[in-house]
Amino acid sequence: MSIFDDDRPQKPSVHEIGSDLSLLSVDELKNRIALLQSEIARLEEEIATKASGRKAAENLFRF
């Protein structure tokens, strides 16, 4: 490890929308895609949960 290692740009551990991707390897880009796909799935599950809760509430108060 040289004294110049601290001068290298640090790669962020999480993805920031709009960040510079030019310093990332193909494997790092694939890992970010997987991370984003799992986050999309998590968001879609939350949308489905909220939508089903809303539908249940609408059905409860429907006369």
Side-chain angles (χ1 to χ4, degrees), residues 43-56:
L43 292 166
E44 288 174 337
E45 287 174 13
E46 186 64 22
I47 288 170
T49 300
K50 289 181 184 261
S52 67
R54 180 182 177 123
K55 187 171 184 172

Side-chain angles (χ1 to χ4, degrees), residues 17-52:
I17 303 298
S19 64
D20 182 17
L21 303 175
S22 64
L23 299 175
L24 301 176
S25 69
V26 170
D27 286 337
E28 289 170 320
L29 290 169
K30 288 180 180 181
N31 288 338
R32 288 203 182 190
I33 289 171
L35 173 73
L36 291 169
Q37 287 172 334
S38 66
E39 183 64 7
I40 289 169
R42 189 176 76 91
L43 292 166
E44 288 174 337
E45 287 174 13
E46 186 64 22
I47 288 170
T49 300
K50 289 181 184 261
S52 67

Side-chain angles (χ1 to χ4, degrees), residues 51 53-63:
R54 180 182 177 123
K55 187 171 184 172
E58 287 174 354
N59 289 336
L60 179 66
F61 293 108
R62 200 174 282 173
F63 290 95

